[in-house]
Amino acid sequence: MQTPLLHPHHFDCAIIGGGLAGLTLSIQLQKKGLNIVLFEKEEYPFHKVCGEYIAMESWNYLEECGLKLREMNLPQITKLHVSAPNGNMIKHSLNPGGFGISRYTLDNELAKIAKQIGVELLDDTKVIDVKFENELFHINTQNNVYTSKIVLGAYGKRSNLDIKLKRNFAQSSGKNTNYVGVKYHVKANLPDDLIELHNFSDGYCGISKVDGESYCLCYLTTADNLKKSGNDIKEMEQRILMKNPFLEKYFTEFPILFDAPLAISQINFSSKKSIENHIIMLGDAAGLITPLCGNEMSMALHASKILSELLPSYFENKLSRRELEKLYSKLWNKQFSTRLKTGRIIQSFFGNQWLTNIFISVLKPFPFLIKKIVELTHGKPF
Ligand SMILES: Cc1cc2nc3c(=O)[nH]c(=O)nc-3n(C[C@H](O)[C@H](O)[C@H](O)COP(=O)(O)OP(=O)(O)OC[C@H]3O[C@@H](n4cnc5c(N)ncnc54)[C@H](O)[C@@H]3O)c2cc1C
């Protein structure tokens, strides 16, 4: 199926963004005989703001991509504890649950596999513009121009390209449009099989074990909370997060393994389009679900799987570009729209300290309701 290169910078598919969505798709498409270039603006290995809990539904696909998860001795997570800002706690089992692995390790291992099988993986290479003309994409980086028949946008929750493409969500303002994420690795004396989610006013913080001896401590909150604390992360943790008794203990007692907090801002949960100017979006670039649902990485991976099955038909001339775009949008909505809607409802609900306290105390005696909520936010293995 492989098409001859027109010139050294021409590829069948160009993938922008080397996170989970982009890396796994590059591996699958390269294995199917297509010429793939992948651009990642950072240099591997690197840390990323993420809770690092992956739902079990993704296990098989990651192994299919060549990751030997079984040999990595990863913590298997089967218990969930959720606390309200006042410390009231719900305990629930997770079946089948998930596993913990740092993005530093995971993305780096996938990048190594991609390179080994022949993906042209260009890290430390930021895409600055993409143009579509006469059925061909022109992709500009700092140093070169590349061409390709297909461009996949796997560049995550927020990128310079959203502004270039004038995407609607990037211009939206109001509720759900400006969140901040912060991550640390810490040493903790908590069970390996447990993920905890602790709510505080306008945010929540997760903690669970990853590979090695570290625990990932990661939270999401509003930009307003940070502003109220003079844009000082430590101040915000003391004034707002540590009102939750669990977080007070963890932030005081657990040794932090990073020199400084890893933080990202301008996280926007507004809905997005899965195709934009013929660029096919996947992962966070196509739509974001609240991390409270613990399942965004699986959505990114699942979209990668869908595309790895669809794109070869386009290159075999079984699907036109129009048909490909239509089919992908349909499949994407079918697979993810309910999860996204549920996620948005949960996200708006958990913003309010008073409502969260009530929500947790009302749910506590009804485990079947908790089970239902967990099910609505998770998918089946793919
Ligand atoms: C606070 C927080 C906690 C989370 N916790 C969890 C969790 O516990 N479990 C879970 O399943 N999900 C969680 N998520 C979500 C998860 O991190 C994302 O859904 C997942 O990383 C999406 O993968 P992706 O491949 O779409 O994007 P990413 O992994 O973000 O990858 C995108 C890549 O594109 C690169 N890039 C961007 N612009 C350009 C450009 N112009 N040129 C080249 N490269 C570019 C970036 O450097 C980045 O490496 C959390 C998110 C947040 C904010």
Side-chain angles (χ1 to χ4, degrees), residues 27 44 110-123:
I27 294 169
Y44 298 103
L110 288 169
K112 280 196 230 159
I113 297 170
K115 273 188 200 158
Q116 268 160 18
I117 65 166
V119 172
E120 183 73 15
L121 193 153
L122 305 172
D123 62 351

Side-chain angles (χ1 to χ4, degrees), residues 32-104:
K32 289 184 179 172
L34 298 171
N35 293 310
I36 308 297
V37 62
L38 183 148
F39 306 98
E40 167 52 52
K41 70 178 167 62
E42 307 293 334
E43 196 177 337
Y44 298 103
F46 60 98
H47 283 288
K48 204 170 250 183
V49 174
C50 180
E52 305 184 327
Y53 162 88
I54 310 194
M56 213 56 198
E57 67 190 72
S58 292
W59 181 277
N60 292 348
Y61 186 57
L62 284 168
E63 286 220 320
E64 239 177 71
C65 291
L67 262 191
K68 296 195 168 61
L69 292 173
R70 244 168 271 265
E71 294 170 17
M72 294 171 89
N73 193 23
L74 301 171
Q76 307 291 308
I77 298 166
T78 52
K79 291 184 190 124
L80 168 71
H81 292 179
V82 183
S83 80
N86 61 11
N88 191 9
M89 185 181 259
I90 287 179
K91 297 183 178 179
H92 192 71
S93 61
L94 287 172
N95 186 12
F99 56 99
I101 180 167
S102 74
R103 294 298 299 271
Y104 187 91

Side-chain angles (χ1 to χ4, degrees), residues 49 155-159 162 167 169 176-177 179 204 220 264-273 282-293 295-297 299-300 332 336-345 347:
V49 174
Y155 53 71
K157 42 188 85 48
R158 164 177 93 84
S159 168
D162 290 324
R167 298 185 79 187
F169 86 91
N176 279 346
T177 61
Y179 284 82
Y204 37 84
L220 184 86
I264 46 164
S265 58
Q266 294 172 15
I267 305 173
N268 186 330
F269 289 100
S270 307
S271 51
K272 301 178 180 178
K273 286 194 195 156
L282 69 160
D284 283 359
L288 264 145
I289 191 173
T290 162
L292 193 61
C293 301
N295 214 12
E296 273 180 291
M297 286 192 269
M299 284 177 51
W332 199 94
F336 304 123
S337 60
T338 311
R339 279 201 242 178
L340 283 164
K341 275 187 206 136
T342 314
R344 273 192 206 107
I345 294 168
Q347 174 69 24

